[in-house]
Amino acid sequence: NRLTNKPLKKVFRIAQPKDFRQLEKNIQREKTAHTYCQSCIDELKLKMNLFSVENAFDASKLTFFFTSEGRIDFRQLVKMLVKHLGVRIEMRQVGIRNQAKMCGGLGRCGREICCSSFLEKFSPVSIRMAKEQNLSLNPTKISGQCGRLMCCLTFENKTYKALKKNLPKIGKSITTKEGKGKVIRHNTIRGHL
């Protein structure tokens, strides 16, 4: 695959009309399973956020994706689901960033969020990166849909660090053509003080 440089999955055969009918059934089953599972979660008063259900193509297994603050004892929930749905059940707890990746959406830049469009793994993001780029430290302005710091803060971090190496530190007294002065701020991209 020349666009992503990732290997493509194996193609077994061209999809037949029955495959499209199976896909429609699977989508409907996922919706039904989601609704039923949510009612069970409410009944059992479990502190978990169910956000997606995935049906295996052959309808042999349902995977329920959820987020939670801590560990959840969902044994009773699984029993209820198996009894009602009659298939293998897998419960998969994922992090809040993975939830955003799976659900997708638009970022504040107006483009599809990076994690669902091209990021394969999550790099650590720190508030220092926002400081380095002279961005607002207001959490609502530098946080993504997942509520964590935006992944894109890492994209230009190395460039900002490299550009700032050549600039005197803020607060330092310097002498220029115009005379003596004190550095009060940087315009890093333009290389100005």
Side-chain angles (χ1 to χ4, degrees):
N1 184 354
R2 288 182 293 175
L3 296 176
T4 62
N5 294 324
K6 286 194 278 187
L8 294 172
K9 293 184 179 179
K10 185 176 178 182
V11 176
F12 291 96
R13 60 181 169 75
I14 294 173
Q16 304 294 316
K18 67 177 184 172
D19 297 320
F20 292 107
R21 287 192 298 274
Q22 180 66 39
L23 182 63
E24 283 301 315
K25 273 191 208 171
N26 288 351
I27 291 168
Q28 191 55 48
R29 186 169 194 182
E30 287 170 357
K31 289 177 184 174
T32 305
H34 187 284
T35 303
Y36 180 72
C37 184
Q38 189 59 59
S39 69
C40 293
I41 289 169
D42 295 343
E43 182 184 326
L44 295 169
K45 294 181 174 49
L46 296 174
K47 293 184 178 175
M48 58 193 287
N49 173 31
L50 177 70
F51 68 89
S52 182
V53 179
E54 193 175 277
N55 196 9
F57 189 74
D58 63 358
S60 62
K61 178 176 88 167
L62 284 164
T63 305
F64 294 83
F65 295 92
F66 69 95
T67 58
S68 176
E69 291 294 318
R71 293 181 61 85
I72 299 288
D73 181 3
F74 46 72
R75 289 175 292 188
Q76 186 59 36
L77 174 63
V78 171
K79 286 177 188 174
M80 292 168 80
L81 293 173
V82 169
K83 184 178 179 183
H84 184 78
L85 301 168
V87 291
R88 260 179 51 224
I89 301 293
E90 181 181 343
M91 302 299 291
R92 193 172 296 172
Q93 183 173 359
V94 298
I96 195 92
R97 282 180 150 188
N98 292 90
Q99 179 185 7
K101 181 181 180 81
M102 290 174 74
C103 294
L106 297 177
R108 61 182 68 246
C109 59
R111 300 180 70 173
E112 185 180 2
I113 55 177
C114 302
C115 60
S116 65
S117 59
F118 67 89
L119 283 182
E120 292 186 26
K121 64 178 187 173
F122 296 110
S123 301
V125 185
S126 69
I127 196 77
R128 183 180 294 271
M129 293 175 180
K131 283 183 184 177
E132 195 79 50
Q133 297 172 48
N134 295 326
L135 296 173
S136 165
L137 299 182
N138 180 343
T140 59
K141 293 188 177 182
I142 57 174
S143 297
Q145 286 184 336
C146 59
R148 304 284 194 267
L149 292 172
M150 293 187 295
C151 296
C152 58
L153 292 176
T154 62
F155 299 167
E156 296 179 355
N157 195 47
K158 285 182 185 174
T159 304
Y160 272 87
K161 279 186 170 181
L163 291 172
K164 281 189 171 184
K165 270 186 184 173
N166 301 325
L167 298 174
K169 296 207 180 299
I170 291 176
K172 186 174 181 184
S173 296
I174 59 167
T175 305
T176 66
K177 290 185 276 185
E178 288 84 22
K180 289 186 176 188
K182 187 177 183 181
V183 178
I184 57 169
R185 64 186 167 148
H186 295 149
N187 185 339
T188 311
I189 298 297
R190 294 183 67 189
H192 289 249
L193 304 175

